Amino acid sequence: MDKGQDQLPSLPVPPLDQTLTRYLESIRPLTSDDEYNRMADAVQQFNQSGQGPSLDQRLRKHAKECEARGTSWLAEWWDDWAYFSHRDSSTFFVNYYFGFQDDPRMPTQTARAALLVSLALEFRQLISNRTLTPDMARNSPFCMNMYRFLFNYSRISGTPTDAAVGFPTEANNHICVVRNGKFYIFETQHIPSKPSSVLSPREIMIQLERIKKMADDDKSSAPAVGILSTGQRDQAAKDRVTLFEAHATNKAHMAKIESSMFVLCLDSTSPSTSEEFSRACWHGDGASRWFDKCFQLIVFANGRAGMNGEHSKMDATPTSRLCRYLIDEAQARTLPDFRGLNAEDLYEIASVLDKPQPLSFVSSSALDRAIANAFAYFRATVDAHEMIPTEFRGYGKGLIKSFKMSPDAYVQMALQLAYYRKHKELVATYESAATRKYRHGRTETARSCSNESKVFCEAMDNPDASLKVRVAACRAAVARHAQYTAWAVDGQAVDRHLLGLRLIRKPDEPIPALFADPVFARTCRWRLSTSQISDDCFIAYGWGEVVPDGYGCAYMVKESELYFCVTSLKLGSKEFGQHIVDALEDMRFTFEEVRKIEKAE
């Protein structure tokens, strides 16, 4: 796991002239002539007045200091700026989810859950003993730092910012299970034995069956504390205090949830449609979750499964690798069952297992009000959202590659065209690009909207533009986006450098005109926020929009199909999804017709 980690380069600070030039180019399709000229003057003033070079010099000094400490110049700012200072609900606007492909053996809920939990314990051990192979980019290892936060971590709500707390893995081998809004924990090791041994899948299944029975038989009105993790962060911080003030044991119970390896949600629902499944993985009922945990493994009554990830300390690559391990290994393992065991055998196995411990939270009138208010916010936010999974089976990366283009950049241009057709304008667009080739690297923004994408969108809807002109425009736009993505992966895009220049400025220094101009804020406001995870083991993937008048658009590029999940505050997500499908069909028609023409010529 540590192979090549000490040779990873530091995240670079790009040349200032380069960043400013690329920034101006990126905003040109989003600005009027007057706005662009004003920003060009502001950029020139920033670069020549001395304030820009001065801030840049201080940023480079900061970068060297961070390099000496073995970290990234951005890492110490990023968690707070991008996540912990974010005051909207993490459930709806930060966390992400994956929906797993179904197990063809159609296992019971507890059988599938037990096997997945057992495999998660194996993966955790690979991290603990440093034998997990590094993620690679061709022959070069990626930074593996984020894997430190995959287990036994929890986000903690606070004011004015949140925090994250990690717990020693050696001392915290319990799992938190939630069902019907009630929380339980059980140890995953046979504690009395020396050395301790890990519970088998069958033993885990016994524990889960016990928890199911306890939760289903418990008719008490215990406080649904899980809903408190769904609120806006300032409110969540207040509710945390209210929870602890209600009774002394509540704080100890919450510590057990937060120090657990992860949360397992044993849902009593059976989602069937794509939207039901996506929503169940995204937010569920709000009560049978703890959204501040590093990740939640979710298994439904019908045996379907998924994962919900907390984003602040990890991007999706570590969790997607974990999920790939769970799904692949599960197919190669035998499902646990109780066949061949009579009641006496089961009793003997269960007798050596400590019974799962219920976390019996105690309520108060103030806590009851907090929970009621949290439910009201949760339901209103769920109702306000459209989440539309769109499965396009017309073609996938196989055909796109035959057009000799980057599949990801091609899909990005389909999204540009879809947005242009629906809203009659272009918009600042975010695509996540990993910078993990650098030490403690996270992400950079690949700006999808470009001068070339504007020409492409206009050509596709111009009846006077020939098919060859449209193909040429698409190729130019795809090539431009592929180039910008390569810059982003290399740490040579604009957004993180500009952020560093803003954060290094002292509060009593004047705000440069470049950053004060409304155009700067508008062209960094991602009304179309996109990201790709392409893995056949997932059949669902998504998250919420990042601005109220925007879309969250997750997508997967597979060999012969494409998947999109469009989320918005009722901007017309279904219509936008249809525009994506139409754009993809139009692009295929255009390329195939030109291919026929060129072949005939």
Side-chain angles (χ1 to χ4, degrees):
M1 185 171 174
D2 297 318
K3 180 181 178 180
Q5 295 298 296
D6 56 352
Q7 279 86 47
L8 289 173
S10 297
L11 183 70
V13 179
L16 182 60
D17 286 346
Q18 172 185 290
T19 294
L20 297 177
T21 298
R22 290 178 179 176
Y23 170 70
L24 277 177
E25 185 178 352
S26 76
I27 69 170
R28 187 64 190 96
L30 303 170
T31 52
S32 66
D33 290 345
D34 288 344
E35 288 174 329
Y36 180 79
N37 291 333
R38 190 175 73 236
M39 288 299 286
D41 290 342
V43 164
Q44 184 178 26
Q45 177 188 359
F46 181 75
N47 200 19
Q48 295 181 356
S49 68
Q51 190 174 14
S54 174
L55 293 174
D56 188 61
Q57 185 178 19
R58 278 151 49 188
L59 180 61
R60 293 176 192 282
K61 180 181 177 183
H62 169 75
K64 288 184 178 180
E65 293 169 351
C66 291
E67 182 178 359
R69 294 195 297 270
T71 187
S72 154
W73 65 263
L74 183 60
E76 297 181 4
W77 288 330
W78 183 248
D79 291 352
D80 181 68
W81 185 87
Y83 296 107
F84 294 146
S85 62
H86 187 269
R87 298 290 85 194
D88 288 330
S89 164
S90 296
T91 302
F92 297 102
F93 306 112
V94 178
N95 285 30
Y96 58 93
Y97 69 86
F98 299 126
F100 298 171
Q101 63 181 202
D102 293 334
D103 189 319
R105 297 169 291 186
M106 301 179 66
T108 65
Q109 180 181 30
T110 54
R112 189 172 195 192
L115 184 54
L116 292 176
V117 166
S118 177
L119 293 169
L121 301 184
E122 288 185 11
F123 197 85
R124 178 177 179 258
Q125 187 59 34
L126 292 176
I127 296 172
S128 295
N129 61 24
R130 314 303 292 173
T131 56
L132 182 70
T133 57
D135 297 331
M136 304 288 287
R138 295 185 176 91
N139 296 321
S140 300
F142 270 167
C143 179
M144 299 293 284
N145 179 63
M146 284 190 287
Y147 283 88
R148 292 171 34 200
F149 311 112
L150 188 52
F151 293 90
N152 297 99
Y153 254 80
S154 188
R155 181 170 178 156
I156 308 295
S157 58
T159 304
T161 64
D162 289 358
V165 176
F167 299 85
T169 56
E170 302 83 0
N172 294 284
N173 293 295
H174 61 285
I175 288 173
C176 176
V177 182
V178 56
R179 180 175 175 84
N180 301 338
K182 299 177 176 66
F183 290 82
Y184 305 82
I185 61 166
F186 73 92
E187 292 291 337
T188 63
Q189 294 188 348
H190 295 283
I191 302 301
S193 64
K194 294 183 180 180
S196 296
S197 59
V198 178
L199 269 59
S200 68
R202 179 182 280 177
E203 290 170 326
I204 294 172
M205 186 175 174
I206 289 174
Q207 298 292 59
L208 298 184
E209 287 286 355
R210 282 172 157 177
I211 289 172
K212 272 187 69 173
K213 180 170 174 44
M214 291 167 67
D216 293 346
D217 289 349
D218 184 358
K219 305 304 180 183
S220 66
S221 56
V225 299
I227 198 69
L228 300 180
S229 67
T230 68
Q232 294 171 313
R233 301 309 295 179
D234 286 341
Q235 186 60 53
K238 295 176 183 176
D239 292 345
R240 181 181 176 86
V241 174
T242 302
L243 174 67
F244 292 169
E245 290 177 343
H247 196 275
T249 59
N250 289 350
K251 187 172 185 178
H253 291 335
M254 183 53 60
K256 281 294 186 180
I257 295 175
E258 292 169 345
S259 62
S260 65
M261 287 190 271
F262 57 89
V263 168
L264 170 66
C265 309
L266 284 180
D267 273 27
S268 56
T269 62
S270 296
S272 56
T273 69
S274 295
E275 182 177 354
E276 287 173 348
F277 186 44
S278 293
R279 282 190 172 274
C281 293
W282 184 32
H283 56 68
D285 66 2
S288 298
R289 301 284 188 274
W290 189 255
F291 288 98
D292 288 349
K293 196 65 193 142
C294 44
F295 72 89
Q296 299 175 94
L297 191 59
I298 310 165
V299 185
F300 300 96
N302 57 1
R304 305 193 82 179
M307 189 223 71
N308 186 288
E310 201 284 311
H311 211 331
S312 62
K313 300 297 290 186
M314 286 183 301
D315 301 319
T317 44
T319 45
S320 65
R321 184 173 177 186
L322 165 65
C323 294
R324 161 57 75 180
Y325 182 88
L326 299 183
I327 296 166
D328 281 353
E329 288 296 319
Q331 294 300 314
R333 308 288 179 96
T334 302
L335 284 163
D337 59 52
F338 299 144
R339 286 179 296 182
L341 297 176
N342 56 35
E344 185 176 332
D345 294 330
L346 279 173
Y347 177 80
E348 183 176 349
I349 295 173
S351 65
V352 300
L353 302 174
D354 290 338
K355 289 185 178 180
Q357 174 187 343
L359 300 179
S360 302
F361 288 93
V362 180
S363 194
S364 67
S365 57
L367 181 57
D368 288 341
R369 287 193 299 272
I371 289 173
N373 291 336
F375 268 117
Y377 170 82
F378 175 83
R379 290 169 183 144
T381 310
V382 169
D383 292 344
H385 272 94
E386 298 168 327
M387 170 170 273
I388 309 296
T390 300
E391 299 171 18
F392 177 77
R393 294 190 170 90
Y395 60 96
K397 64 182 177 184
L399 182 65
I400 299 170
K401 285 182 177 179
S402 77
F403 296 151
K404 300 189 181 336
M405 284 184 292
S406 156
D408 179 73
Y410 179 98
V411 171
Q412 283 289 325
M413 292 311 107
L415 296 176
Q416 290 294 302
L417 181 56
Y419 194 98
Y420 178 77
R421 285 175 168 175
K422 185 177 189 309
H423 292 281
K424 313 305 179 188
E425 64 174 337
L426 297 167
V427 69
T429 306
Y430 174 98
E431 182 187 4
S432 179
T435 54
R436 289 179 59 208
K437 65 191 292 184
Y438 300 108
R439 187 181 303 118
H440 293 191
R442 294 285 299 264
T443 62
E444 172 60 282
T445 304
R447 293 186 169 218
S448 306
C449 183
S450 64
N451 293 318
E452 291 80 3
S453 72
K454 180 180 181 181
V455 171
F456 161 66
C457 291
E458 291 173 345
M460 288 298 290
D461 280 4
N462 180 0
D464 297 326
S466 69
L467 293 177
K468 286 189 175 182
V469 166
R470 294 175 183 178
V471 163
C474 185
R475 289 194 182 281
V478 166
R480 177 58 173 164
H481 185 66
Q483 175 64 78
Y484 199 99
T485 302
W487 288 340
V489 169
D490 285 341
Q492 299 295 321
V494 306
D495 284 279
R496 302 301 180 257
H497 188 190
L498 292 174
L499 175 63
L501 295 172
R502 291 161 62 196
L503 294 178
I504 205 74
R505 183 186 67 85
K506 297 175 183 176
D508 59 349
E509 291 180 297
I511 300 175
L514 166 62
F515 301 140
D517 195 301
V519 170
F520 182 83
R522 193 180 81 224
T523 54
C524 298
R525 191 172 182 276
W526 313 116
R527 288 168 61 192
L528 184 54
S529 177
T530 74
S531 186
Q532 177 195 179
I533 286 285
S534 293
D535 198 315
D536 289 339
C537 71
F538 300 136
I539 60 173
Y541 165 48
W543 67 86
E545 71 288 346
V546 299
V547 294
D549 55 345
Y551 298 97
C553 186
Y555 62 99
M556 296 186 281
V557 181
K558 301 184 180 183
E559 183 63 31
S560 57
E561 64 182 277
L562 304 168
Y563 171 92
F564 303 86
C565 187
V566 181
T567 309
S568 75
L569 288 168
K570 298 190 176 176
L571 296 182
S573 296
K574 185 174 183 179
E575 182 184 355
F576 184 54
Q578 186 59 51
H579 277 294
I580 296 172
V581 170
D582 293 343
L584 291 166
E585 293 285 14
D586 290 349
M587 290 164 71
R588 173 173 64 177
F589 172 81
T590 302
F591 274 91
E592 290 184 337
E593 287 300 304
V594 168
R595 181 185 279 175
K596 291 177 186 176
I597 293 170
E598 291 175 344
K599 190 174 182 180
E601 293 175 345

